[in-house]
């Protein structure tokens, strides 16, 4: 069965999944960030690092970004046309600035939407209405739960995905013998890279394997599993560690959920609320942090799309990811 991209233009979130045979092969999410990859705009060079081609630019709205590949003659204060090549990456305790590069002569243009990005690759995208069940039947809810927890089970164990400032770390846990556990985890790791939209530096902490032949066996299995993945990979060292490096343009699903758990839960709640079928007022029940993250404009859009009155009910006993929407009498 051929793979197909499905797309939903949600409230405060675009989402797309590549599906085949009832399973999600890849997933992408965008939250409407201002500086996204592909945006071309003018910015002022506010700092140039001495002796390098790098510096800092500031856009007219005050947002700053790192810039590299500066021309030799570019001096502080000059205005440059730049293209965003990496969005801001929010991490615990800090945010990595967006990265831009000079594009002299190019015209200003907004960043492509998620749908436009996928269609630019030549893929066909099927746009779904809010009432569609296609995302759910292909495993969207399970994927969101995995992104929220970072835990992905496989037969015999689990991989734990943790975003850190330096890299995304993937740990492996289970009761199988070390070599069997490492081999059993390989497909789950390869799937996670695509399904969680993970790029940049990735460190995989396999069980320690003393025998070089065992390490080489895992290396081969990982290489086979990553046959359609673009990037570089190290061989396993004596401590079971493997590093992957690929292009990083945006936060992964797990990084978004980890850095903004309440905002992520609010978006899940909005999606659920759009799909309530019973008549009546929409009641959103959630932890207070989730309701605080629910911006008034998002709630207004929910009311507009559904044609219903929307009410809130705070429940501090609920976990962030346990929010729910229901119809109640007016």
């Amino acid at each position: 069965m051929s793979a197909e991209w499905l797309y939903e233009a949600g409230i405060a979130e675009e989402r797309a999944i590549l599906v085949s045979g009832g399973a999600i092969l890849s997933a992408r999410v965008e939250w409407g960030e201002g500086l996204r990859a592909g945006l071309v705009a003018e910015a002022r060079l506010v700092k140039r690092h001495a002796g390098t081609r790098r510096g800092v630019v500031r856009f007219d709205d005050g947002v700053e970004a790192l810039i590299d590949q500066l021309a030799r003659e570019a001096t502080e204060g000059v205005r440059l046309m730049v293209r965003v090549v990496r969005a801001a990456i929010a991490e615990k305790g800090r945010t990595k600035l967006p990265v831009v590069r000079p594009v002299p002569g190019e015209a200003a243009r907004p960043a492509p939407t998620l749908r436009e990005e996928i269609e630019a690759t030549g893929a066909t995208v099927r746009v779904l209405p809010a009432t569609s069940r296609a995302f759910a039947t292909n495993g969207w809810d399970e994927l969101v739960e995995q992104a929220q927890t970072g835990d992905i089970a496989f037969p015999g164990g689990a991989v734990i995905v943790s975003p850190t400032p330096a890299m995304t770390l993937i740990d492996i846990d289970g009761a199988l013998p070390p070599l069997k556990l490492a081999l059993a985890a390989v497909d789950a790791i390869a799937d996670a890279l695509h399904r969680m939209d993970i790029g940049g530096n990735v460190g995989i902490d396999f069980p320690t394997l003393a025998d070089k032949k065992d390490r080489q066996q895992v290396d081969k299995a990982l290489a086979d599993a990553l046959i359609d993945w673009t990037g570089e990979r190290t061989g396993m060292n004596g401590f079971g560690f493997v590093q992957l490096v690929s292009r990083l343009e945006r936060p992964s699903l797990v990084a978004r959920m980890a850095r903004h758990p309440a905002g992520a839960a609010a978006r899940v709640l909005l999606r659920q609320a759009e799909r309530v079928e019973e008549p009546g007022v929409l009641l959103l029940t959630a932890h207070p942090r989730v309701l605080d993250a629910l911006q008034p404009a998002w709630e207004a859009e929910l009311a507009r799309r559904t044609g219903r009155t929307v009410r809130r009910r705070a429940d501090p006993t609920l976990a962030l990811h346990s929010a729910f929407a229901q119809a109640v009498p007016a």
Side-chain angles (χ1 to χ4, degrees), residues 61-114:
D61 61 1
V63 176
E64 293 187 344
L66 304 176
I67 187 170
D68 61 11
Q69 300 185 9
L70 282 168
R72 187 171 300 159
E73 64 273 14
T75 57
E76 293 181 1
V78 69
R79 294 185 67 83
L80 306 167
M81 193 65 73
V82 299
R83 180 193 296 124
V84 177
V85 297
R86 192 202 72 194
I89 306 293
E91 296 169 334
K92 187 175 182 180
R94 68 167 186 168
T95 298
K96 289 183 179 178
L97 292 177
V99 175
V100 303
R101 288 177 182 160
V103 284
E106 286 199 22
R109 61 178 180 272
T113 65
L114 175 55

Side-chain angles (χ1 to χ4, degrees), residues 25 67 77 88 106 118 148 158 187 208 215 225 232 239 289:
L25 306 181
I67 187 170
E106 286 199 22
I118 296 172
Q148 288 174 325
D187 285 341
T208 300
R215 299 197 296 270
E232 298 181 9
F239 301 99
R289 284 180 56 198

Side-chain angles (χ1 to χ4, degrees), residues 203-284:
I204 307 173
D205 189 15
F206 283 101
T208 300
L209 302 173
D211 194 323
K212 185 177 180 180
K213 289 184 179 179
D214 290 346
R215 299 197 296 270
Q216 291 174 335
Q217 186 177 349
V218 177
D219 281 338
K220 183 180 185 307
L222 187 60
D224 291 342
L226 296 177
I227 191 68
D228 59 346
W229 175 82
T230 303
E232 298 181 9
R233 176 180 57 86
T234 67
M236 182 185 291
N237 66 21
F239 301 99
F241 192 78
V242 174
Q243 185 174 359
L244 311 176
V245 181
S246 64
R247 187 174 179 178
L248 178 63
E249 292 186 343
R250 58 193 169 266
S252 67
L253 269 66
V254 70
R256 289 181 186 277
M257 303 290 183
R259 186 66 180 88
H260 303 288
R267 289 169 169 87
V268 172
L269 176 60
L270 289 167
R271 184 177 185 276
Q272 184 189 131
E274 273 201 90
R275 286 157 174 75
V276 172
E277 297 178 351
E278 297 77 13
V281 170
L282 275 179
L283 178 63
L284 310 181

Side-chain angles (χ1 to χ4, degrees), residues 276-322:
V276 172
E277 297 178 351
E278 297 77 13
V281 170
L282 275 179
L283 178 63
L284 310 181
T285 303
H287 188 282
R289 284 180 56 198
V290 176
L291 296 181
D292 287 344
L294 191 61
Q295 297 183 18
W298 303 353
E299 190 173 321
E301 177 64 9
L302 175 62
R304 187 194 70 79
R305 290 190 182 197
T306 61
R308 305 188 195 216
T309 299
V310 179
R311 295 176 183 166
R312 301 179 175 205
R313 185 170 73 88
D315 185 348
T317 67
L318 286 178
L320 293 184
H321 59 272
S322 297

